Amino acid sequence: MATHRVTLIPGDGTGPELSEATRRVLEAAVRATSGSTFEWDVQEAGLDVMESAGTPLPPGVIDSIRSTGVAIKGPITTPIGTGFRSVNVALRVALDLYACLRPCKLYPGMRSFFPDVDVVVVRENTEDLYVGIEYEHDSPAAEEVIELLNVLQDKKIRRHSGISIKPISRFGSERIVRFAFDYARANGRRRVHCVTKSNIMKYTDGLFLATFREVARDYPDIEPRENLVDATCMGLVQRPTEWDVLVLPNLYGDILSDLTAGMVGGLGVAPGANIGTEAAVFEATHGSAPKYKGQNKVNPTAMILSGALMLKHLGEDAAATHLEEAVAAVLGAGKSVTYDMKPDRNDPTAVGTSQYADAIIEKMEA
Ligand code: NAD
């Protein structure tokens, strides 16, 4: 029995209603198992505080997460044309949340073309083409870079090209690969697949793979597999049950985690976490779906399952399993589910966000 201090960021758009449903379900999960409780430090971020605070990410939010070490977050709209960057990206950078964890599991009752999927995507979050070092075509800087590179090697880059830089370091590769192996070991997984295009990008993806091979020696109980990203896409849809934990550089991780989310029923049910050494932030894959704001309509499954990941992270394994089983049972029954989980989206028997949470709580308390 413990009291867990957790930062709760309701977010904006549909975020607050999703967060409220998730908070209630998480409290019920620990109540029904360990008897632990939560001490929520509620922190506002996003569009709703932008006017009063002058920023969508008030400094108190990061201070709170640094102090609690754990946050659960509703989605936050990226303000357009205001000069503010995405709060989601800002949090990842400020807290160095280098690992993006996306488990994709098919529960009964989900709409999918696949009979069985249970894969975990571990995406590197800080390097690769996402560092944002780019040179616009025809800019003086781009022409300078092209000139320099054309001197350094035989292959010539065409003039008037745009350039994006893809840095991958040994440090960044090692910590994400270790994260994937540690996750596999802690969660009873048997294989870790390193997914790259190392046959083409020898010094970036090649370094990632070479690091994977070295790190794998420290985990003799986990089978290391090496896969090319194109073949992985085909393999995932042709033989979904052959895959286990996938570790990937940033870009491939971004793309493949959407592919695997689609295989298990889409954004409404895809949980996630961004994890670093000093903090972990748990959040759904989807955005703030602002057109449904305040309608008690959208599906909180992705955020609730993100909450189940958080329970595991907090050492509340029994509560996490209990919650996941209750979610699976309610989805499987197909009765008290939100509109997007019904075969027909206009089905009048669909329930609201809050009533779906009630059904999960009822199942846990039965
Ligand atoms: P979105 O995920 O918010 O919505 C796209 C569509 O998916 C919605 O219109 C809705 O039909 C459906 N959908 C999404 N979540 C759902 C749910 N829980 N239940 C039922 N249906 C759901 O994507 P978007 O419209 O591209 O983004 C809206 C805003 O959210 C943007 O500002 C974007 O930057 C931001 N965003 C935030 C996060 C985050 O907070 N981590 C992630 C992605 C996007």
Side-chain angles (χ1 to χ4, degrees):
M1 196 153 102
T3 300
H4 299 292
R5 282 185 66 234
V6 173
T7 303
L8 174 64
I9 306 170
D12 60 30
T14 54
E17 49 208 285
L18 294 168
S19 300
E20 180 56 15
T22 303
R23 182 190 62 74
R24 291 199 295 117
V25 163
L26 290 174
E27 286 174 355
V30 289
R31 198 165 53 233
T33 50
S34 63
S36 294
T37 51
F38 290 102
E39 194 184 306
W40 303 107
D41 183 8
V42 179
Q43 292 287 330
E44 300 295 340
L47 288 187
D48 300 347
V49 289
M50 204 159 89
E51 225 164 84
S52 57
T55 164
L57 183 58
V61 180
I62 287 174
D63 292 345
S64 169
I65 303 173
R66 285 216 170 98
S67 147
T68 60
V70 187
I72 184 148
K73 171 184 161 299
I76 292 178
T77 309
T78 302
I80 296 170
T82 58
F84 289 110
R85 68 204 292 208
S86 152
V87 168
N88 309 301
V89 174
L91 281 178
R92 277 167 223 162
V93 172
L95 298 164
D96 193 23
L97 305 175
Y98 66 88
C100 176
L101 180 67
R102 296 262 182 92
C104 288
K105 184 170 169 180
L106 187 63
Y107 294 97
M110 310 269 221
R111 261 196 308 278
S112 171
F113 291 106
F114 304 94
D116 192 12
V117 184
D118 184 7
V119 297
V120 178
V121 175
V122 175
R123 163 188 172 191
E124 204 288 323
N125 238 352
T126 66
E127 302 196 324
D128 197 352
L129 284 158
Y130 286 56
V131 292
I133 303 175
E134 296 199 287
Y135 299 95
E136 191 178 4
H137 80 282
D138 285 345
S139 67
E143 291 306 303
E144 205 174 310
V145 171
I146 291 168
E147 230 166 81
L148 176 66
L149 291 175
N150 283 349
V151 172
L152 289 178
Q153 36 86 53
D154 297 337
K155 296 175 206 101
K156 297 295 170 228
I157 299 173
R158 234 175 246 136
R159 298 282 310 273
H160 315 297
S161 295
I163 307 274
S164 299
I165 303 288
K166 173 180 166 126
I168 289 190
S169 72
R170 161 128 194 133
F171 171 81
S173 303
E174 182 173 349
R175 68 176 178 173
I176 195 69
V177 170
R178 278 201 189 280
F179 180 96
F181 275 103
D182 286 339
Y183 178 91
R185 196 175 259 177
N187 290 277
R189 298 275 175 167
R190 289 181 300 118
R191 286 192 290 272
V192 176
H193 306 257
C194 178
V195 180
T196 63
K197 193 72 183 168
S198 56
N199 55 338
I200 304 295
M201 279 156 282
K202 297 185 184 3
Y203 301 134
T204 48
D205 289 16
L207 175 60
F208 192 91
L209 176 60
T211 309
F212 173 83
R213 286 178 180 158
E214 273 177 50
V215 170
R217 288 191 211 117
D218 294 341
Y219 299 84
D221 47 325
I222 310 286
E223 184 190 343
R225 292 263 182 108
E226 299 174 9
N227 305 88
L228 293 174
V229 63
D230 41 354
T232 302
C233 290
M234 189 167 66
L236 274 166
V237 296
Q238 281 195 317
R239 306 176 306 280
T241 53
E242 278 183 21
W243 304 83
D244 203 335
V245 176
L246 276 59
V247 63
L248 316 90
N250 208 339
L251 175 65
Y252 312 137
D254 189 8
I255 297 167
L256 261 69
S257 56
D258 266 31
L259 172 69
T260 52
M263 291 170 72
V264 297
L267 286 179
V269 293
N274 290 297
I275 301 176
T277 45
E278 60 169 337
V281 178
F282 295 82
E283 63 177 327
T285 304
H286 61 74
S288 54
K291 71 177 173 193
Y292 295 121
K293 178 180 176 166
Q295 293 180 25
N296 186 36
K297 187 173 165 88
V298 286
N299 186 355
T301 304
M303 189 164 174
I304 288 173
L305 291 175
S306 306
L309 292 177
M310 186 184 84
L311 289 173
K312 263 199 185 159
H313 181 83
L314 293 170
E316 296 280 351
D317 288 32
T321 307
H322 194 51
L323 172 54
E324 204 187 333
E325 285 172 359
V327 170
V330 173
L331 288 173
K335 192 167 155 271
S336 301
V337 294
T338 48
Y339 75 102
D340 55 315
M341 295 280 104
K342 294 281 187 185
D344 171 7
R345 288 185 150 230
N346 297 313
D347 188 332
T349 66
V351 301
T353 310
S354 172
Q355 290 67 36
Y356 171 71
D358 291 342
I360 294 169
I361 293 170
E362 211 171 284
K363 189 57 80 185
M364 284 193 290
E365 289 175 347

